[in-house]
Amino acid sequence: MSETPSPFESVNVTTAWINDDRDPYVVKWNIGILALIFAFATFGNCLVLFTLLRRRKHNALMHTFMIHLCLADLVVSFFQVLPQLVWDITDRFQGPDVVCRGVRYLQVVGMFASSYMIVAMTFDRHQAICRPMMTFKKGSARWNVPVCLAWLISAILSLPQIFIFSMKDVGNDVYDCWATFVEPWGVKAYVTWTALVVFILPTLFIATCQVLIFREIHNSLYLGAERSPGSRRKGKLMGSRNGVPPLVDSGVTSAMSKTVRMTLVIVLIYVVCWAPFFIAQLWNVWKTKQDENNSVMNILMLLASLNSCTNPWIYTIFSSSVSKDVQAILCCMCRTKRRKNSLPEDSCFTGNSSLPKESLY
């Protein structure tokens, strides 16, 4: 067994090869950018989460997924981005052993939950479009099974963090939150396993679901129209017949199409943000010669952290109902800032929480 700093300091999944001779200029830029990412991620997710919770009785199924995705991104913000920010400021982990283990655990919970919540969203879209009759028969349930499974799997798969990390003496009676790995394969196994279950397998599953979804949409819009030209007009759905919902009538509504596009955008941005980081981490541990230059990894970590900022705004753009509520809240914040003693009629909250027709399915 050896106590080694590992290659994941950038996201605080593990500890990195620590260099005491850090470039102060680079450190300041890193701290500044991390602070901005933390501020934007916290503000955006809290704003959209507040909006969705206010509309709770009108929430569509996709709203539920976004509530939990916002919660997962907030876990990333407070237990991944914020600890890294504090770590860059202090250069050492400040806290007892139990805090070290707890922070390490929650860091990976946030990564898992954010990834698996996107998996749950994509799977739900696949079921709704490719297996509509099954979705119709299930109806609404009190507990959303994919969401519960995403949190449960995240909590279970993150448990090894508690045993891998602890406060270690790194020399000269200096303690830091380090990992203990079995040499020589421990670090490689850990990084490979993390990349596999957090990024590679979820991405493959999501890609498969998306291909099936678009194939079904293609068949519905084009092949279906060729078989019965008078039954559809550009793939739009006719009304329900004999009590069977439009979805079961082999069509794709505009709201469903919008959720598919939104999910695809979320997935693409997730891949763009995280793929370079995991590729670099795998390359870093599997290459023959190790180097201690962490500049590239810091840049890739910042790119990966941006993912927690994007999801709420993507949902706001695609959901007209949420977009209107978010604009109203921002309007109120601006007016409150300008006029502290605003009249009641200046309030942006009119109490009208009816669900618009164009809201997400």
Side-chain angles (χ1 to χ4, degrees), residues 61 123-124 126-128 131-146 149 245 248 361:
L61 181 59
F123 177 74
D124 177 79
H126 170 268
Q127 292 293 97
R131 308 180 70 181
M133 182 59 84
M134 180 176 293
T135 303
F136 176 61
K137 287 181 178 179
K138 287 180 180 178
S140 59
R142 183 175 181 182
W143 296 99
N144 189 302
V145 175
L149 283 176
V248 181
Y361 171 80

mmCIF file with all atom_site columns, all heavy atoms in Angstrom, residues 61 123-124 126-128 131-146 149 245 248 361:
data_model
loop_
_atom_site.group_PDB
_atom_site.id
_atom_site.type_symbol
_atom_site.label_atom_id
_atom_site.label_alt_id
_atom_site.label_comp_id
_atom_site.label_asym_id
_atom_site.label_entity_id
_atom_site.label_seq_id
_atom_site.pdbx_PDB_ins_code
_atom_site.Cartn_x
_atom_site.Cartn_y
_atom_site.Cartn_z
_atom_site.occupancy
_atom_site.B_iso_or_equiv
_atom_site.pdbx_formal_charge
_atom_site.auth_seq_id
_atom_site.auth_comp_id
_atom_site.auth_asym_id
_atom_site.auth_atom_id
_atom_site.pdbx_PDB_model_num
ATOM 1   N N   . LEU A 1 61  ? -43.656 15.908 -16.166 1.00 0.00 ? 61  LEU A N   1
ATOM 2   C CA  . LEU A 1 61  ? -42.676 14.889 -15.791 1.00 0.00 ? 61  LEU A CA  1
ATOM 3   C C   . LEU A 1 61  ? -41.253 15.393 -15.986 1.00 0.00 ? 61  LEU A C   1
ATOM 4   O O   . LEU A 1 61  ? -40.372 15.151 -15.153 1.00 0.00 ? 61  LEU A O   1
ATOM 5   C CB  . LEU A 1 61  ? -42.908 13.620 -16.624 1.00 0.00 ? 61  LEU A CB  1
ATOM 6   C CG  . LEU A 1 61  ? -41.978 12.443 -16.334 1.00 0.00 ? 61  LEU A CG  1
ATOM 7   C CD1 . LEU A 1 61  ? -42.096 12.022 -14.875 1.00 0.00 ? 61  LEU A CD1 1
ATOM 8   C CD2 . LEU A 1 61  ? -42.307 11.277 -17.252 1.00 0.00 ? 61  LEU A CD2 1
ATOM 9   N N   . PHE A 1 123 ? -33.644 7.928  -20.802 1.00 0.00 ? 123 PHE A N   1
ATOM 10  C CA  . PHE A 1 123 ? -34.407 6.678  -20.763 1.00 0.00 ? 123 PHE A CA  1
ATOM 11  C C   . PHE A 1 123 ? -35.906 6.958  -20.733 1.00 0.00 ? 123 PHE A C   1
ATOM 12  O O   . PHE A 1 123 ? -36.691 6.269  -21.396 1.00 0.00 ? 123 PHE A O   1
ATOM 13  C CB  . PHE A 1 123 ? -33.992 5.850  -19.543 1.00 0.00 ? 123 PHE A CB  1
ATOM 14  C CG  . PHE A 1 123 ? -34.772 4.578  -19.386 1.00 0.00 ? 123 PHE A CG  1
ATOM 15  C CD1 . PHE A 1 123 ? -34.537 3.498  -20.225 1.00 0.00 ? 123 PHE A CD1 1
ATOM 16  C CD2 . PHE A 1 123 ? -35.749 4.463  -18.403 1.00 0.00 ? 123 PHE A CD2 1
ATOM 17  C CE1 . PHE A 1 123 ? -35.258 2.321  -20.090 1.00 0.00 ? 123 PHE A CE1 1
ATOM 18  C CE2 . PHE A 1 123 ? -36.473 3.289  -18.261 1.00 0.00 ? 123 PHE A CE2 1
ATOM 19  C CZ  . PHE A 1 123 ? -36.229 2.214  -19.102 1.00 0.00 ? 123 PHE A CZ  1
ATOM 20  N N   . ASP A 1 124 ? -36.309 7.967  -19.982 1.00 0.00 ? 124 ASP A N   1
ATOM 21  C CA  . ASP A 1 124 ? -37.730 8.321  -19.919 1.00 0.00 ? 124 ASP A CA  1
ATOM 22  C C   . ASP A 1 124 ? -38.244 8.767  -21.284 1.00 0.00 ? 124 ASP A C   1
ATOM 23  O O   . ASP A 1 124 ? -39.343 8.404  -21.702 1.00 0.00 ? 124 ASP A O   1
ATOM 24  C CB  . ASP A 1 124 ? -37.941 9.439  -18.894 1.00 0.00 ? 124 ASP A CB  1
ATOM 25  C CG  . ASP A 1 124 ? -39.386 9.895  -18.851 1.00 0.00 ? 124 ASP A CG  1
ATOM 26  O OD1 . ASP A 1 124 ? -40.205 9.197  -18.224 1.00 0.00 ? 124 ASP A OD1 1
ATOM 27  O OD2 . ASP A 1 124 ? -39.704 10.949 -19.448 1.00 0.00 ? 124 ASP A OD2 1
ATOM 28  N N   . HIS A 1 126 ? -37.003 7.839  -24.122 1.00 0.00 ? 126 HIS A N   1
ATOM 29  C CA  . HIS A 1 126 ? -37.034 6.628  -24.942 1.00 0.00 ? 126 HIS A CA  1
ATOM 30  C C   . HIS A 1 126 ? -38.310 5.831  -24.694 1.00 0.00 ? 126 HIS A C   1
ATOM 31  O O   . HIS A 1 126 ? -38.965 5.366  -25.633 1.00 0.00 ? 126 HIS A O   1
ATOM 32  C CB  . HIS A 1 126 ? -35.803 5.764  -24.637 1.00 0.00 ? 126 HIS A CB  1
ATOM 33  C CG  . HIS A 1 126 ? -35.864 4.392  -25.240 1.00 0.00 ? 126 HIS A CG  1
ATOM 34  N ND1 . HIS A 1 126 ? -36.387 3.307  -24.553 1.00 0.00 ? 126 HIS A ND1 1
ATOM 35  C CD2 . HIS A 1 126 ? -35.501 3.928  -26.469 1.00 0.00 ? 126 HIS A CD2 1
ATOM 36  C CE1 . HIS A 1 126 ? -36.326 2.245  -25.319 1.00 0.00 ? 126 HIS A CE1 1
ATOM 37  N NE2 . HIS A 1 126 ? -35.793 2.584  -26.483 1.00 0.00 ? 126 HIS A NE2 1
ATOM 38  N N   . GLN A 1 127 ? -38.672 5.676  -23.413 1.00 0.00 ? 127 GLN A N   1
ATOM 39  C CA  . GLN A 1 127 ? -39.887 4.931  -23.084 1.00 0.00 ? 127 GLN A CA  1
ATOM 40  C C   . GLN A 1 127 ? -41.134 5.631  -23.618 1.00 0.00 ? 127 GLN A C   1
ATOM 41  O O   . GLN A 1 127 ? -42.049 4.991  -24.133 1.00 0.00 ? 127 GLN A O   1
ATOM 42  C CB  . GLN A 1 127 ? -39.998 4.766  -21.566 1.00 0.00 ? 127 GLN A CB  1
ATOM 43  C CG  . GLN A 1 127 ? -38.943 3.855  -20.956 1.00 0.00 ? 127 GLN A CG  1
ATOM 44  C CD  . GLN A 1 127 ? -39.114 2.406  -21.387 1.00 0.00 ? 127 GLN A CD  1
ATOM 45  O OE1 . GLN A 1 127 ? -38.466 1.957  -22.318 1.00 0.00 ? 127 GLN A OE1 1
ATOM 46  N NE2 . GLN A 1 127 ? -39.982 1.687  -20.708 1.00 0.00 ? 127 GLN A NE2 1
ATOM 47  N N   . ALA A 1 128 ? -41.181 6.958  -23.489 1.00 0.00 ? 128 ALA A N   1
ATOM 48  C CA  . ALA A 1 128 ? -42.357 7.708  -23.913 1.00 0.00 ? 128 ALA A CA  1
ATOM 49  C C   . ALA A 1 128 ? -42.560 7.665  -25.419 1.00 0.00 ? 128 ALA A C   1
ATOM 50  O O   . ALA A 1 128 ? -43.702 7.666  -25.898 1.00 0.00 ? 128 ALA A O   1
ATOM 51  C CB  . ALA A 1 128 ? -42.237 9.158  -23.447 1.00 0.00 ? 128 ALA A CB  1
ATOM 52  N N   . ARG A 1 131 ? -41.884 3.274  -26.582 1.00 0.00 ? 131 ARG A N   1
ATOM 53  C CA  . ARG A 1 131 ? -42.814 2.320  -25.960 1.00 0.00 ? 131 ARG A CA  1
ATOM 54  C C   . ARG A 1 131 ? -43.960 3.086  -25.308 1.00 0.00 ? 131 ARG A C   1
ATOM 55  O O   . ARG A 1 131 ? -44.173 3.015  -24.091 1.00 0.00 ? 131 ARG A O   1
ATOM 56  C CB  . ARG A 1 131 ? -42.072 1.465  -24.941 1.00 0.00 ? 131 ARG A CB  1
ATOM 57  C CG  . ARG A 1 131 ? -40.820 0.801  -25.511 1.00 0.00 ? 131 ARG A CG  1
ATOM 58  C CD  . ARG A 1 131 ? -40.109 -0.048 -24.488 1.00 0.00 ? 131 ARG A CD  1
ATOM 59  N NE  . ARG A 1 131 ? -40.847 -1.241 -24.157 1.00 0.00 ? 131 ARG A NE  1
ATOM 60  C CZ  . ARG A 1 131 ? -40.439 -2.144 -23.254 1.00 0.00 ? 131 ARG A CZ  1
ATOM 61  N NH1 . ARG A 1 131 ? -39.294 -1.977 -22.630 1.00 0.00 ? 131 ARG A NH1 1
ATOM 62  N NH2 . ARG A 1 131 ? -41.166 -3.205 -22.990 1.00 0.00 ? 131 ARG A NH2 1
ATOM 63  N N   . PRO A 1 132 ? -44.721 3.826  -26.085 1.00 0.00 ? 132 PRO A N   1
ATOM 64  C CA  . PRO A 1 132 ? -45.745 4.723  -25.531 1.00 0.00 ? 132 PRO A CA  1
ATOM 65  C C   . PRO A 1 132 ? -46.870 4.010  -24.799 1.00 0.00 ? 132 PRO A C   1
ATOM 66  O O   . PRO A 1 132 ? -47.361 4.515  -23.796 1.00 0.00 ? 132 PRO A O   1
ATOM 67  C CB  . PRO A 1 132 ? -46.282 5.456  -26.765 1.00 0.00 ? 132 PRO A CB  1
ATOM 68  C CG  . PRO A 1 132 ? -45.955 4.558  -27.911 1.00 0.00 ? 132 PRO A CG  1
ATOM 69  C CD  . PRO A 1 132 ? -44.679 3.890  -27.544 1.00 0.00 ? 132 PRO A CD  1
ATOM 70  N N   . MET A 1 133 ? -47.288 2.831  -25.294 1.00 0.00 ? 133 MET A N   1
ATOM 71  C CA  . MET A 1 133 ? -48.391 2.123  -24.652 1.00 0.00 ? 133 MET A CA  1
ATOM 72  C C   . MET A 1 133 ? -48.029 1.716  -23.230 1.00 0.00 ? 133 MET A C   1
ATOM 73  O O   . MET A 1 133 ? -48.846 1.819  -22.306 1.00 0.00 ? 133 MET A O   1
ATOM 74  C CB  . MET A 1 133 ? -48.775 0.888  -25.474 1.00 0.00 ? 133 MET A CB  1
ATOM 75  C CG  . MET A 1 133 ? -49.955 0.125  -24.888 1.00 0.00 ? 133 MET A CG  1
ATOM 76  S SD  . MET A 1 133 ? -51.439 1.133  -24.747 1.00 0.00 ? 133 MET A SD  1
ATOM 77  C CE  . MET A 1 133 ? -52.082 0.951  -26.409 1.00 0.00 ? 133 MET A CE  1
ATOM 78  N N   . MET A 1 134 ? -46.795 1.272  -23.027 1.00 0.00 ? 134 MET A N   1
ATOM 79  C CA  . MET A 1 134 ? -46.348 0.900  -21.686 1.00 0.00 ? 134 MET A CA  1
ATOM 80  C C   . MET A 1 134 ? -46.350 2.106  -20.773 1.00 0.00 ? 134 MET A C   1
ATOM 81  O O   . MET A 1 134 ? -46.762 2.039  -19.610 1.00 0.00 ? 134 MET A O   1
ATOM 82  C CB  . MET A 1 134 ? -44.959 0.272  -21.741 1.00 0.00 ? 134 MET A CB  1
ATOM 83  C CG  . MET A 1 134 ? -44.415 -0.155 -20.393 1.00 0.00 ? 134 MET A CG  1
ATOM 84  S SD  . MET A 1 134 ? -42.824 -0.993 -20.507 1.00 0.00 ? 134 MET A SD  1
ATOM 85  C CE  . MET A 1 134 ? -43.321 -2.506 -21.352 1.00 0.00 ? 134 MET A CE  1
ATOM 86  N N   . THR A 1 135 ? -45.878 3.247  -21.294 1.00 0.00 ? 135 THR A N   1
ATOM 87  C CA  . THR A 1 135 ? -45.876 4.480  -20.504 1.00 0.00 ? 135 THR A CA  1
ATOM 88  C C   . THR A 1 135 ? -47.294 4.893  -20.138 1.00 0.00 ? 135 THR A C   1
ATOM 89  O O   . THR A 1 135 ? -47.573 5.320  -19.022 1.00 0.00 ? 135 THR A O   1
ATOM 90  C CB  . THR A 1 135 ? -45.198 5.609  -21.306 1.00 0.00 ? 135 THR A CB  1
ATOM 91  O OG1 . THR A 1 135 ? -43.887 5.192  -21.667 1.00 0.00 ? 135 THR A OG1 1
ATOM 92  C CG2 . THR A 1 135 ? -45.111 6.885  -20.480 1.00 0.00 ? 135 THR A CG2 1
ATOM 93  N N   . PHE A 1 136 ? -48.229 4.741  -21.090 1.00 0.00 ? 136 PHE A N   1
ATOM 94  C CA  . PHE A 1 136 ? -49.619 5.116  -20.843 1.00 0.00 ? 136 PHE A CA  1
ATOM 95  C C   . PHE A 1 136 ? -50.250 4.227  -19.776 1.00 0.00 ? 136 PHE A C   1
ATOM 96  O O   . PHE A 1 136 ? -50.996 4.686  -18.915 1.00 0.00 ? 136 PHE A O   1
ATOM 97  C CB  . PHE A 1 136 ? -50.408 5.022  -22.153 1.00 0.00 ? 136 PHE A CB  1
ATOM 98  C CG  . PHE A 1 136 ? -51.880 5.285  -21.996 1.00 0.00 ? 136 PHE A CG  1
ATOM 99  C CD1 . PHE A 1 136 ? -52.337 6.508  -21.531 1.00 0.00 ? 136 PHE A CD1 1
ATOM 100 C CD2 . PHE A 1 136 ? -52.803 4.303  -22.326 1.00 0.00 ? 136 PHE A CD2 1
ATOM 101 C CE1 . PHE A 1 136 ? -53.686 6.754  -21.391 1.00 0.00 ? 136 PHE A CE1 1
ATOM 102 C CE2 . PHE A 1 136 ? -54.152 4.541  -22.186 1.00 0.00 ? 136 PHE A CE2 1
ATOM 103 C CZ  . PHE A 1 136 ? -54.597 5.772  -21.713 1.00 0.00 ? 136 PHE A CZ  1
ATOM 104 N N   . LYS A 1 137 ? -49.948 2.919  -19.824 1.00 0.00 ? 137 LYS A N   1
ATOM 105 C CA  . LYS A 1 137 ? -50.526 1.988  -18.862 1.00 0.00 ? 137 LYS A CA  1
ATOM 106 C C   . LYS A 1 137 ? -50.014 2.249  -17.452 1.00 0.00 ? 137 LYS A C   1
ATOM 107 O O   . LYS A 1 137 ? -50.728 2.094  -16.465 1.00 0.00 ? 137 LYS A O   1
ATOM 108 C CB  . LYS A 1 137 ? -50.203 0.549  -19.272 1.00 0.00 ? 137 LYS A CB  1
ATOM 109 C CG  . LYS A 1 137 ? -51.002 0.076  -20.485 1.00 0.00 ? 137 LYS A CG  1
ATOM 110 C CD  . LYS A 1 137 ? -50.650 -1.354 -20.834 1.00 0.00 ? 137 LYS A CD  1
ATOM 111 C CE  . LYS A 1 137 ? -51.484 -1.851 -22.020 1.00 0.00 ? 137 LYS A CE  1
ATOM 112 N NZ  . LYS A 1 137 ? -51.138 -3.243 -22.387 1.00 0.00 ? 137 LYS A NZ  1
ATOM 113 N N   . LYS A 1 138 ? -48.736 2.638  -17.350 1.00 0.00 ? 138 LYS A N   1
ATOM 114 C CA  . LYS A 1 138 ? -48.158 2.891  -16.023 1.00 0.00 ? 138 LYS A CA  1
ATOM 115 C C   . LYS A 1 138 ? -48.825 4.073  -15.348 1.00 0.00 ? 138 LYS A C   1
ATOM 116 O O   . LYS A 1 138 ? -49.033 4.087  -14.142 1.00 0.00 ? 138 LYS A O   1
ATOM 117 C CB  . LYS A 1 138 ? -46.653 3.152  -16.145 1.00 0.00 ? 138 LYS A CB  1
ATOM 118 C CG  . LYS A 1 138 ? -45.842 1.910  -16.440 1.00 0.00 ? 138 LYS A CG  1
ATOM 119 C CD  . LYS A 1 138 ? -44.372 2.255  -16.534 1.00 0.00 ? 138 LYS A CD  1
ATOM 120 C CE  . LYS A 1 138 ? -43.542 1.022  -16.840 1.00 0.00 ? 138 LYS A CE  1
ATOM 121 N NZ  . LYS A 1 138 ? -42.101 1.357  -16.984 1.00 0.00 ? 138 LYS A NZ  1
ATOM 122 N N   . GLY A 1 139 ? -49.158 5.098  -16.153 1.00 0.00 ? 139 GLY A N   1
ATOM 123 C CA  . GLY A 1 139 ? -49.766 6.296  -15.580 1.00 0.00 ? 139 GLY A CA  1
ATOM 124 C C   . GLY A 1 139 ? -48.794 7.039  -14.691 1.00 0.00 ? 139 GLY A C   1
ATOM 125 O O   . GLY A 1 139 ? -47.584 6.867  -14.751 1.00 0.00 ? 139 GLY A O   1
ATOM 126 N N   . SER A 1 140 ? -49.332 7.890  -13.833 1.00 0.00 ? 140 SER A N   1
ATOM 127 C CA  . SER A 1 140 ? -48.485 8.688  -12.935 1.00 0.00 ? 140 SER A CA  1
ATOM 128 C C   . SER A 1 140 ? -48.263 7.938  -11.634 1.00 0.00 ? 140 SER A C   1
ATOM 129 O O   . SER A 1 140 ? -49.164 7.304  -11.107 1.00 0.00 ? 140 SER A O   1
ATOM 130 C CB  . SER A 1 140 ? -49.139 10.054 -12.650 1.00 0.00 ? 140 SER A CB  1
ATOM 131 O OG  . SER A 1 140 ? -50.405 9.863  -12.059 1.00 0.00 ? 140 SER A OG  1
ATOM 132 N N   . ALA A 1 141 ? -47.071 7.989  -11.132 1.00 0.00 ? 141 ALA A N   1
ATOM 133 C CA  . ALA A 1 141 ? -46.726 7.336  -9.869  1.00 0.00 ? 141 ALA A CA  1
ATOM 134 C C   . ALA A 1 141 ? -46.217 8.376  -8.885  1.00 0.00 ? 141 ALA A C   1
ATOM 135 O O   . ALA A 1 141 ? -45.705 9.419  -9.268  1.00 0.00 ? 141 ALA A O   1
ATOM 136 C CB  . ALA A 1 141 ? -45.657 6.268  -10.110 1.00 0.00 ? 141 ALA A CB  1
ATOM 137 N N   . ARG A 1 142 ? -46.376 8.060  -7.619  1.00 0.00 ? 142 ARG A N   1
ATOM 138 C CA  . ARG A 1 142 ? -45.936 9.001  -6.589  1.00 0.00 ? 142 ARG A CA  1
ATOM 139 C C   . ARG A 1 142 ? -44.427 9.144  -6.604  1.00 0.00 ? 142 ARG A C   1
ATOM 140 O O   . ARG A 1 142 ? -43.891 10.212 -6.410  1.00 0.00 ? 142 ARG A O   1
ATOM 141 C CB  . ARG A 1 142 ? -46.420 8.520  -5.225  1.00 0.00 ? 142 ARG A CB  1
ATOM 142 C CG  . ARG A 1 142 ? -46.069 9.468  -4.102  1.00 0.00 ? 142 ARG A CG  1
ATOM 143 C CD  . ARG A 1 142 ? -46.673 9.028  -2.789  1.00 0.00 ? 142 ARG A CD  1
ATOM 144 N NE  . ARG A 1 142 ? -46.354 9.951  -1.721  1.00 0.00 ? 142 ARG A NE  1
ATOM 145 C CZ  . ARG A 1 142 ? -46.730 9.785  -0.450  1.00 0.00 ? 142 ARG A CZ  1
ATOM 146 N NH1 . ARG A 1 142 ? -47.451 8.719  -0.121  1.00 0.00 ? 142 ARG A NH1 1
ATOM 147 N NH2 . ARG A 1 142 ? -46.389 10.675 0.460   1.00 0.00 ? 142 ARG A NH2 1
ATOM 148 N N   . TRP A 1 143 ? -43.731 8.034  -6.830  1.00 0.00 ? 143 TRP A N   1
ATOM 149 C CA  . TRP A 1 143 ? -42.272 8.057  -6.863  1.00 0.00 ? 143 TRP A CA  1
ATOM 150 C C   . TRP A 1 143 ? -41.800 7.798  -8.285  1.00 0.00 ? 143 TRP A C   1
ATOM 151 O O   . TRP A 1 143 ? -42.247 6.853  -8.931  1.00 0.00 ? 143 TRP A O   1
ATOM 152 C CB  . TRP A 1 143 ? -41.698 6.992  -5.920  1.00 0.00 ? 143 TRP A CB  1
ATOM 153 C CG  . TRP A 1 143 ? -42.033 7.225  -4.487  1.00 0.00 ? 143 TRP A CG  1
ATOM 154 C CD1 . TRP A 1 143 ? -43.019 6.625  -3.774  1.00 0.00 ? 143 TRP A CD1 1
ATOM 155 C CD2 . TRP A 1 143 ? -41.395 8.143  -3.599  1.00 0.00 ? 143 TRP A CD2 1
ATOM 156 N NE1 . TRP A 1 143 ? -43.041 7.099  -2.488  1.00 0.00 ? 143 TRP A NE1 1
ATOM 157 C CE2 . TRP A 1 143 ? -42.060 8.029  -2.342  1.00 0.00 ? 143 TRP A CE2 1
ATOM 158 C CE3 . TRP A 1 143 ? -40.341 9.034  -3.729  1.00 0.00 ? 143 TRP A CE3 1
ATOM 159 C CZ2 . TRP A 1 143 ? -41.680 8.784  -1.239  1.00 0.00 ? 143 TRP A CZ2 1
ATOM 160 C CZ3 . TRP A 1 143 ? -39.972 9.780  -2.631  1.00 0.00 ? 143 TRP A CZ3 1
ATOM 161 C CH2 . TRP A 1 143 ? -40.632 9.655  -1.407  1.00 0.00 ? 143 TRP A CH2 1
ATOM 162 N N   . ASN A 1 144 ? -40.886 8.640  -8.747  1.00 0.00 ? 144 ASN A N   1
ATOM 163 C CA  . ASN A 1 144 ? -40.308 8.460  -10.068 1.00 0.00 ? 144 ASN A CA  1
ATOM 164 C C   . ASN A 1 144 ? -39.163 7.462  -9.943  1.00 0.00 ? 144 ASN A C   1
ATOM 165 O O   . ASN A 1 144 ? -38.108 7.769  -9.381  1.00 0.00 ? 144 ASN A O   1
ATOM 166 C CB  . ASN A 1 144 ? -39.811 9.806  -10.611 1.00 0.00 ? 144 ASN A CB  1
ATOM 167 C CG  . ASN A 1 144 ? -39.391 9.717  -12.054 1.00 0.00 ? 144 ASN A CG  1
ATOM 168 O OD1 . ASN A 1 144 ? -38.515 8.936  -12.403 1.00 0.00 ? 144 ASN A OD1 1
ATOM 169 N ND2 . ASN A 1 144 ? -40.012 10.513 -12.900 1.00 0.00 ? 144 ASN A ND2 1
ATOM 170 N N   . VAL A 1 145 ? -39.377 6.267  -10.471 1.00 0.00 ? 145 VAL A N   1
ATOM 171 C CA  . VAL A 1 145 ? -38.409 5.181  -10.284 1.00 0.00 ? 145 VAL A CA  1
ATOM 172 C C   . VAL A 1 145 ? -37.032 5.511  -10.863 1.00 0.00 ? 145 VAL A C   1
ATOM 173 O O   . VAL A 1 145 ? -36.013 5.307  -10.191 1.00 0.00 ? 145 VAL A O   1
ATOM 174 C CB  . VAL A 1 145 ? -38.954 3.868  -10.879 1.00 0.00 ? 145 VAL A CB  1
ATOM 175 C CG1 . VAL A 1 145 ? -37.900 2.762  -10.798 1.00 0.00 ? 145 VAL A CG1 1
ATOM 176 C CG2 . VAL A 1 145 ? -40.214 3.436  -10.145 1.00 0.00 ? 145 VAL A CG2 1
ATOM 177 N N   . PRO A 1 146 ? -36.927 6.024  -12.121 1.00 0.00 ? 146 PRO A N   1
ATOM 178 C CA  . PRO A 1 146 ? -35.590 6.347  -12.647 1.00 0.00 ? 146 PRO A CA  1
ATOM 179 C C   . PRO A 1 146 ? -34.833 7.366  -11.789 1.00 0.00 ? 146 PRO A C   1
ATOM 180 O O   . PRO A 1 146 ? -33.624 7.235  -11.599 1.00 0.00 ? 146 PRO A O   1
ATOM 181 C CB  . PRO A 1 146 ? -35.892 6.908  -14.042 1.00 0.00 ? 146 PRO A CB  1
ATOM 182 C CG  . PRO A 1 146 ? -37.183 6.295  -14.429 1.00 0.00 ? 146 PRO A CG  1
ATOM 183 C CD  . PRO A 1 146 ? -37.963 6.211  -13.152 1.00 0.00 ? 146 PRO A CD  1
ATOM 184 N N   . LEU A 1 149 ? -33.651 5.613  -8.588  1.00 0.00 ? 149 LEU A N   1
ATOM 185 C CA  . LEU A 1 149 ? -32.530 4.726  -8.903  1.00 0.00 ? 149 LEU A CA  1
ATOM 186 C C   . LEU A 1 149 ? -31.250 5.514  -9.145  1.00 0.00 ? 149 LEU A C   1
ATOM 187 O O   . LEU A 1 149 ? -30.159 5.085  -8.745  1.00 0.00 ? 149 LEU A O   1
ATOM 188 C CB  . LEU A 1 149 ? -32.866 3.877  -10.132 1.00 0.00 ? 149 LEU A CB  1
ATOM 189 C CG  . LEU A 1 149 ? -33.821 2.700  -9.913  1.00 0.00 ? 149 LEU A CG  1
ATOM 190 C CD1 . LEU A 1 149 ? -34.123 2.016  -11.237 1.00 0.00 ? 149 LEU A CD1 1
ATOM 191 C CD2 . LEU A 1 149 ? -33.237 1.703  -8.921  1.00 0.00 ? 149 LEU A CD2 1
ATOM 192 N N   . PRO A 1 245 ? -54.517 7.842  -25.890 1.00 0.00 ? 245 PRO A N   1
ATOM 193 C CA  . PRO A 1 245 ? -53.850 9.128  -25.958 1.00 0.00 ? 245 PRO A CA  1
ATOM 194 C C   . PRO A 1 245 ? -53.151 9.321  -27.294 1.00 0.00 ? 245 PRO A C   1
ATOM 195 O O   . PRO A 1 245 ? -52.807 8.343  -27.964 1.00 0.00 ? 245 PRO A O   1
ATOM 196 C CB  . PRO A 1 245 ? -52.821 9.062  -24.817 1.00 0.00 ? 245 PRO A CB  1
ATOM 197 C CG  . PRO A 1 245 ? -52.580 7.606  -24.634 1.00 0.00 ? 245 PRO A CG  1
ATOM 198 C CD  . PRO A 1 245 ? -53.875 6.931  -24.925 1.00 0.00 ? 245 PRO A CD  1
ATOM 199 N N   . VAL A 1 248 ? -50.031 7.209  -28.105 1.00 0.00 ? 248 VAL A N   1
ATOM 200 C CA  . VAL A 1 248 ? -50.199 5.824  -28.487 1.00 0.00 ? 248 VAL A CA  1
ATOM 201 C C   . VAL A 1 248 ? -50.635 5.725  -29.946 1.00 0.00 ? 248 VAL A C   1
ATOM 202 O O   . VAL A 1 248 ? -50.549 4.684  -30.558 1.00 0.00 ? 248 VAL A O   1
ATOM 203 C CB  . VAL A 1 248 ? -51.216 5.133  -27.558 1.00 0.00 ? 248 VAL A CB  1
ATOM 204 C CG1 . VAL A 1 248 ? -51.402 3.680  -27.913 1.00 0.00 ? 248 VAL A CG1 1
ATOM 205 C CG2 . VAL A 1 248 ? -50.771 5.271  -26.121 1.00 0.00 ? 248 VAL A CG2 1
ATOM 206 N N   . TYR A 1 361 ? -43.412 18.564 -22.135 1.00 0.00 ? 361 TYR A N   1
ATOM 207 C CA  . TYR A 1 361 ? -44.185 17.360 -21.821 1.00 0.00 ? 361 TYR A CA  1
ATOM 208 C C   . TYR A 1 361 ? -43.608 16.663 -20.610 1.00 0.00 ? 361 TYR A C   1
ATOM 209 O O   . TYR A 1 361 ? -42.434 16.513 -20.490 1.00 0.00 ? 361 TYR A O   1
ATOM 210 C CB  . TYR A 1 361 ? -44.141 16.412 -23.025 1.00 0.00 ? 361 TYR A CB  1
ATOM 211 C CG  . TYR A 1 361 ? -44.706 15.062 -22.748 1.00 0.00 ? 361 TYR A CG  1
ATOM 212 C CD1 . TYR A 1 361 ? -46.074 14.839 -22.762 1.00 0.00 ? 361 TYR A CD1 1
ATOM 213 C CD2 . TYR A 1 361 ? -43.863 14.001 -22.468 1.00 0.00 ? 361 TYR A CD2 1
ATOM 214 C CE1 . TYR A 1 361 ? -46.584 13.578 -22.518 1.00 0.00 ? 361 TYR A CE1 1
ATOM 215 C CE2 . TYR A 1 361 ? -44.364 12.738 -22.230 1.00 0.00 ? 361 TYR A CE2 1
ATOM 216 C CZ  . TYR A 1 361 ? -45.732 12.542 -22.254 1.00 0.00 ? 361 TYR A CZ  1
ATOM 217 O OH  . TYR A 1 361 ? -46.217 11.282 -21.999 1.00 0.00 ? 361 TYR A OH  1
#
